[in-house]
Amino acid sequence: MTNILFYVLAIVALLGAAGVVLAKSPMGSVVSLLGTFFALAVIYLLAGFQFLAGAQILVYAGAILVLFLFVIMLLNLGAMGSKFELSFAPLQSTRARIAGCIALALALVGLVAAQRASFAAVPERDASAPAIDSMEGLALELFGRYSLPFQATSLLLLVTMVGVIALAKRQRSGDEPAKGEERP
Amino acid sequence: MQSHESHAWLWWIPLLPLIGSAIAGALHLATLRARKNDPSAAAPGTLAPWIACAAMAAAFGLSVKGFFTLQELAPSARQLASTVHHWISVNYPARGEFAVDLSLLLDPLSSTMTLVVTGVGFLIHVYAAGYMKGDPGYGKFFAYLNLFVFAMLMLVLSSSLLGVFIGWEGVGLCSFLLIGFWYEKGWPAEAAQKAFVMNRVGDACFLIGSFLLVRLFGTLDMATIAGAIGRGPVELEPDVQLQVSLAALFLFGGACGKSAQFPLFTWLPDAMAGPTPVSALIHAATMVTSGIYLIVRLNPLFASSGWVLPVIGVVGALTALIGGSTALVQRDIKKVLAYSTVSQLGYMFLALGTGAWAAAVFHLVTHAFFKALLFLGAGSVIHGMHEEQDMHKMGGLRKYMPQTFVTFLAGSAALSGLPLMSGFFSKDEILAHAFAGGGLYWGLWIVGVLTAALTAYYTWRMVALTFFGEERFDRHHVHPHESPAVMTVPLMVLAVLSVVGGVLGLPPVLHAPHLLAEWLEPVTRDGSRILAERAGEHELSHTLEWILLGLGAAIALAFAHTGFHAHKRGTAQDETLTARRPALAAWLADAWTIDTTYKRVILLPLRLVSFVVAVVVDQFAIDGTVNGIGASARDVAQWTRRSATGSLAGYAMWMGAGAVVISLVWMWS
Amino acid sequence: MNVPSEHLLYLSAGLFALGLLGFLVRRNVIVVLMCVELMLNAANLAFLAASRQHSTAEHPALQGPVFAIFVITVAAAEAAVGLALVIALYRLKQSAETDAAAEMKG
């Protein structure tokens, strides 16, 4: 039963991905991406990653996609079409054919590599089974073995914040950035 | 043996001229600046000669004080030393300590040299104050001249070879600066370069010799080296003997460069491009004698060097002959004196080659007197003749410049060795030593006698052409006149010294003491003892000495007479020689074509190699390679820049393609 | 669910290829960034598939989820910076097309 659900969700995710590529307006791409993210979140849940499924929803759907939406609205790019429409125009050029070949080649490589891995069969997992990424286990890993990369991540976020503020600030010509903006 | 009492005042002897030099130089610069602002400002540096002469007089006074201080001491204790600084101190675990001190040593030899340098130097400074008057570089000239005296005094007073080398290079530098003093004319600058480069050859030899001495004795202190050799066994081990000989040979090579000996003498005649006082001071009286000083200072080393002494003698005799014969046909009065200097220096080396240390120093001193006198006299003539140096355009000057004439006669008499003049005794002593040596030295004696005859001839030819005969100058434009007193008084002092200088070293047959030899005895004792033990004493009988003295006097008189009368009437004799024997005359005028040979054998191949290196190797091969690499990098970049389209999708495409390739490689490997 | 882990990897490869295709063919910078997100998600899925394969009940393989968390963090940072760049570009060129920023040629 859950296996069938997985295949259905996989198809949904792939269709969503195709929608991102083919949607005529950026708004359509965002909606397709949202579908893909949700499908992936459920797949994570099925596979036994409860925390990751939650993070997927919260961070991707909740934060990143909203950011995209903000920017689309801000730049007024959503006015191109209110309906969800597909457009195959980007695929009509020579460049697109070469790009297609490259993408196809990479997909084939991935498929062959996965096929060759010849994994052992995994046991049936039901919904009541404990999650692989239990909070306790993840915390032990993040604050234990990976504490240094974890702290580096915080630094990355800080740098990102400063950089984004500096980039997005509307600069008057010949104006130095104000002091307050350099202080996060 | 060495006095432990420090005599720091010794340092004032070289330091005073250095201070004088600094002040004179500063004055010159100040005048230059003043003239820059106001072109009509007063003649430059009129104060400089006073300061320079005062510094020289003070240095001379201190030298005299040093002389008397030494004289009060017992002969074997006549050494005043002063060490102010332990300059270099290196400790080799295997070979012990190597140390060089900054120290001065005043002993009879350096005292003699100091007296000559400061005494004759002072007179020449006074003379130059008159001679250089009105020259735009008046102050600069005295700065250089004083600096030279400082370097020369460092050379003769330093107790270590390193100190000597500092002075050695210093006098070389000042010689370069002063030869090229009138560099605007072009050829003095070239002559200065020639002197400098030729001296480098000798200096390299000097350094190699010093290194060998460090290897042998572990020190550069000359008293220690001389003492070690002097106290050591007379017969050395074969390998030590070889090293001693090589060290002596290389030091002699250094002396050859500085003292203008064959084959490195060709710079000295060209050095006459400098002002005449410079020729007198540096290129006759002092600097060129530093080679003789060096060898006498290290006389035990040279005495034990075996075959090097005959080499020195042969080189000296050959140089004497080349110089003397070349001086016969020169027309430039300063060139005559220059080749004469080369010849007389050859005499001194001939003396050193026979082991007659004191005789060499004796000739050095008398030569300093009479050659300085002759150069200054020639300068006076040139000055009076409006910078004319060609003797064929002089003649009959004795009634125009009587003081110069009389003093010049005294100098000529001394140079040509007329009886009872200073040069007579010093030259005769050298020839007597050569005669007593026997064997090879007999040949050297014959060359010496021949050169003495040439010397008498060319000296009196010069006198006759300059002061006698008809007046060959253009009387409408040239008005010969006597020089001012500031120039003639030094001439007179030097003339007196040239005449009576012989009393310093009267020959033994006169039963008078040889003052100089006795004075130098503490220094030359070891070398003479080693020579005596190795080769045996050579005593000449009194009869033989009388015969030699008489022979010398007769030859000098005869050839002086011949030379004078052959040229008294004018230039006819020179023209006859040129007409009858053009090849010989040209060969002599070119100093046995040694310079031309250098040009052909050394300069031409060097230029060829330089050309090949510069054009073929450097410009073609090296530059070509470097430029080729640069050009090819540019070409490759021109081609590859097309891939940088600026299109984000294009870059991403390449990235994707790269990812495909990498993953394919990764999968199938 | 007991789907073989290969199938998860197939899905991952498909998502990645689609993301790459979009990255290469689309000109709108915002969509290009979305395609990057898509590729990062594909990578996450591959991490988790591997973790799932190597986990037992007693010993969960936690490197996969940990790396997925890092990827999510980096993705968030990347999206923020990328979108700030889009705004800057739009201000400069009045356009959000990649071809608008094609001035840095060799």
Side-chain angles (χ1 to χ4, degrees):
Chain A
M1 175 60 200
T2 44
N3 283 8
I4 296 162
L5 184 56
F6 165 76
Y7 291 115
V8 171
L9 286 169
I11 289 163
V12 169
L14 286 172
L15 284 176
V20 172
V21 179
L22 297 174
K24 202 172 187 182
S25 77
M27 207 59 128
S29 295
V30 170
V31 174
S32 306
L33 195 58
L34 189 65
T36 305
F37 284 168
F38 269 111
L40 280 174
V42 179
I43 288 173
Y44 292 171
L45 203 57
L46 288 176
F49 300 98
Q50 292 169 7
F51 178 79
L52 262 293
Q56 175 84 0
I57 303 285
L58 284 176
V59 178
Y60 274 115
I64 296 179
L65 279 184
V66 169
L67 204 59
F68 275 97
L69 281 175
F70 269 146
V71 172
I72 291 166
M73 301 294 190
L74 195 66
L75 302 185
N76 211 11
L77 296 173
M80 279 196 230
S82 51
K83 282 199 295 186
F84 183 81
E85 275 182 74
L86 292 184
S87 157
F88 292 89
L91 299 180
Q92 302 296 315
S93 66
T94 319
R95 200 183 74 169
R97 276 181 209 115
I98 300 171
C101 289
I102 291 173
L104 196 63
L106 212 59
L108 281 174
V109 168
L111 290 178
V112 171
Q115 214 269 317
R116 278 179 160 199
S118 57
F119 294 121
V122 285
E124 170 72 31
R125 160 181 290 276
D126 53 31
S128 62
I132 297 172
D133 57 345
S134 63
M135 293 297 284
E136 188 189 356
L138 271 182
L140 281 174
E141 288 285 312
L142 281 178
F143 295 106
R145 186 148 49 133
Y146 296 101
S147 68
L148 196 66
F150 187 65
Q151 291 175 57
T153 318
S154 67
L155 203 65
L156 172 77
L157 289 173
L158 175 69
V159 170
T160 306
M161 190 160 71
V162 174
V164 167
I165 291 170
L167 274 172
K169 186 203 161 217
R170 188 178 293 273
Q171 279 180 338
R172 289 176 295 257
S173 57
D175 194 20
E176 299 266 315
K179 274 179 187 169
E181 283 162 351
E182 282 179 345
R183 203 182 304 131
Chain B
M1 176 129 169
Q2 199 157 331
S3 165
H4 290 287
E5 199 185 341
S6 185
H7 297 271
W9 59 269
L10 284 178
W11 287 94
W12 284 108
I13 301 179
L15 276 182
L16 281 168
L18 183 65
I19 294 167
S21 167
I23 297 176
L27 279 176
H28 177 63
L29 292 179
T31 334
L32 280 189
R33 180 169 297 178
R35 272 201 307 185
K36 206 170 171 187
N37 299 334
D38 174 21
S40 62
T46 41
L47 206 56
W50 290 99
I51 286 158
C53 291
M56 287 303 294
F60 180 63
L62 281 175
S63 305
V64 173
K65 176 191 171 189
F67 172 75
F68 283 113
T69 316
L70 279 183
Q71 214 183 21
E72 283 165 11
L73 299 168
S76 60
R78 281 176 181 161
Q79 282 187 329
L80 308 180
S82 170
T83 303
V84 291
H85 182 51
H86 298 291
W87 184 12
I88 297 173
S89 177
V90 187
N91 217 338
Y92 295 107
R95 312 195 61 155
E97 197 191 13
F98 171 73
V100 178
D101 291 343
L102 209 55
S103 62
L104 297 188
L105 171 72
L106 192 76
D107 68 350
L109 178 59
S110 49
S111 168
T112 310
M113 293 298 292
T114 312
L115 282 172
V116 171
V117 170
T118 53
V120 177
F122 170 66
L123 292 172
I124 294 171
H125 271 70
V126 172
Y127 175 93
Y131 188 85
M132 296 300 288
K133 209 173 188 76
D135 192 278
Y138 202 42
K140 185 172 72 171
F141 181 80
F142 282 98
Y144 287 170
L145 217 54
N146 256 1
L147 186 64
F148 165 78
V149 173
F150 158 71
M152 189 70 204
L153 289 170
M154 283 306 290
L155 198 165
V156 298
L157 281 172
S158 283
S159 66
S160 79
L161 267 176
L162 196 57
V164 171
F165 189 69
I166 293 170
W168 194 270
E169 292 299 313
V171 293
L173 169 70
C174 294
S175 165
F176 167 80
L177 291 172
L178 286 165
I179 295 170
F181 188 74
W182 288 320
Y183 56 87
E184 301 97 331
K185 288 191 210 164
W187 51 274
E190 285 171 22
Q193 278 181 17
K194 181 174 177 179
F196 205 71
V197 170
M198 303 258 327
N199 267 303
R200 293 279 80 66
V201 179
D203 294 349
C205 289
F206 185 109
L207 278 180
I208 296 170
S210 307
F211 297 153
L212 284 170
L213 285 181
V214 172
R215 192 184 145 84
L216 269 172
F217 300 101
T219 179
L220 280 174
D221 187 73
M222 291 187 292
T224 316
I225 293 170
I229 287 260
R231 279 192 303 276
V234 175
E235 296 297 334
L236 301 168
E237 301 280 322
D239 61 323
V240 177
Q241 173 69 64
L242 181 67
Q243 289 188 45
V244 166
S245 298
L246 279 180
L249 187 68
F250 276 112
L251 286 176
F252 170 61
C256 270
K258 195 58 80 192
S259 294
Q261 291 302 290
F262 176 83
L264 298 176
F265 69 85
T266 57
W267 64 269
L268 186 57
D270 284 5
M272 297 304 133
T276 307
V278 172
S279 309
L281 178 62
I282 300 183
H283 304 117
T286 55
M287 182 187 87
V288 288
T289 60
S290 48
I292 288 108
Y293 163 78
L294 180 72
I295 292 178
V296 176
R297 167 64 73 203
L298 292 170
N299 65 77
L301 178 79
F302 282 87
S304 357
S305 65
W307 49 269
V308 177
L309 269 190
V311 169
I312 295 175
V314 169
V315 168
L318 187 60
T319 314
L321 189 62
I322 296 175
S325 58
T326 307
L328 286 178
V329 297
Q330 298 299 318
R331 285 174 57 171
D332 184 332
I333 186 167
K334 281 183 75 179
K335 279 278 165 73
V336 174
L337 291 171
Y339 280 110
S340 164
T341 305
V342 171
S343 173
Q344 299 303 312
L345 289 168
Y347 259 112
M348 294 174 212
F349 277 93
L350 175 56
L352 296 174
T354 62
W357 322 113
V361 177
F362 183 28
H363 199 56
L364 187 162
V365 173
T366 59
H367 179 256
F369 292 154
F370 63 69
K371 193 50 68 64
L373 167 61
L374 285 173
F375 263 116
L376 296 184
S380 176
V381 169
I382 295 164
H383 196 64
M385 292 291 291
H386 307 289
E387 309 307 320
E388 179 60 73
Q389 301 194 2
D390 188 349
M391 293 191 296
H392 283 194
K393 292 180 184 153
M394 296 178 184
L397 293 181
R398 69 178 184 278
K399 58 178 177 284
Y400 295 104
M401 27 184 93
Q403 290 160 343
T404 305
F405 169 63
V406 171
T407 51
F408 203 86
L409 272 189
S412 300
L415 170 61
S416 55
L418 295 191
L420 305 183
M421 297 286 148
S422 59
F424 171 72
F425 292 114
S426 56
K427 199 175 292 182
D428 192 75
E429 191 183 344
I430 293 171
L431 291 177
H433 273 282
F435 188 82
L440 170 74
Y441 293 107
W442 266 76
L444 300 185
W445 177 76
I446 293 169
V447 174
V449 171
L450 183 59
T451 309
L454 295 175
T455 308
Y457 188 91
Y458 69 67
T459 309
W460 289 93
R461 165 180 174 268
M462 174 173 68
V463 172
L465 283 177
T466 310
F467 291 102
F468 292 87
E470 61 196 14
E471 296 162 8
R472 293 181 295 275
F473 47 85
D474 183 354
R475 229 166 301 179
H476 297 289
H477 294 100
V478 180
H479 306 284
H481 57 84
E482 182 59 276
S483 300
V486 70
M487 288 166 69
T488 53
V489 171
L491 287 180
M492 289 170 199
V493 177
L494 283 170
V496 172
L497 287 172
S498 301
V499 172
V500 303
V503 298
L504 286 175
L506 296 175
V509 285
L510 296 182
H511 299 290
H514 194 304
L515 295 173
L516 195 68
E518 283 174 13
W519 174 245
L520 292 175
E521 202 269 339
V523 180
T524 61
R525 185 173 41 203
D526 282 341
S528 304
R529 182 180 55 78
I530 292 169
L531 274 185
E533 285 179 28
R534 283 196 166 197
E537 297 261 17
H538 299 290
E539 281 289 333
L540 288 180
S541 70
H542 278 192
T543 328
L544 208 51
E545 281 211 37
W546 275 116
I547 292 172
L548 287 177
L549 268 183
L551 186 67
I555 286 175
L557 284 171
F559 279 89
H561 182 266
T562 320
F564 180 70
H565 284 283
H567 295 90
K568 201 171 83 175
R569 277 173 302 279
T571 59
Q573 187 69 23
D574 283 352
E575 280 148 17
T576 319
L577 176 72
T578 319
R580 281 206 195 142
R581 296 278 186 83
L584 178 68
W587 187 66
L588 281 181
D590 200 17
W592 296 24
T593 65
I594 286 168
D595 238 357
T596 324
T597 314
Y598 280 159
K599 266 183 199 142
R600 231 187 356 252
V601 176
I602 296 174
L603 215 56
L604 216 64
L606 202 64
R607 287 218 173 116
L608 203 69
V609 171
S610 309
F611 177 79
V612 169
V613 170
V615 174
V616 178
V617 176
D618 188 60
Q619 287 184 9
F620 186 74
I622 295 176
D623 281 8
T625 311
V626 174
N627 291 345
I629 289 170
S632 59
R634 200 174 51 217
D635 292 347
V636 170
Q638 278 297 348
W639 183 71
T640 50
R641 64 177 280 200
R642 275 182 262 159
S643 67
T645 53
S647 148
L648 193 64
Y651 298 145
M653 204 93 88
W654 284 109
M655 217 167 104
V660 171
V661 171
I662 288 172
S663 50
L664 281 177
V665 168
W666 171 71
M667 271 179 69
W668 272 281
S669 65
Chain C
M1 151 176 126
N2 62 350
V3 172
S5 294
E6 287 96 324
H7 292 193
L8 270 75
L9 289 178
Y10 294 159
L11 175 59
S12 166
L15 286 176
F16 191 89
L18 281 167
L20 181 63
L21 181 71
F23 183 77
L24 294 180
V25 299
R26 293 300 300 255
R27 289 162 193 273
N28 190 314
V29 185
I30 296 175
V31 179
V32 167
L33 283 172
M34 281 191 251
C35 292
V36 172
E37 298 297 338
L38 213 49
M39 286 190 277
L40 288 167
N41 263 286
N44 264 356
L45 183 59
F47 275 129
L48 293 181
S51 168
R52 169 176 178 266
Q53 179 65 33
H54 294 290
S55 286
T56 58
E58 293 80 32
H59 297 288
L62 282 168
Q63 288 97 324
V66 165
F67 271 91
I69 288 170
F70 284 134
V71 168
I72 290 172
T73 321
V74 171
E78 173 257 305
V81 174
L83 289 169
L85 283 171
V86 170
I87 291 173
L89 176 72
Y90 190 82
R91 246 186 233 141
L92 204 64
K93 301 280 180 192
Q94 309 304 321
S95 158
E97 303 283 302
T98 53
D99 293 350
E103 271 148 21
M104 280 191 36
K105 288 184 184 157

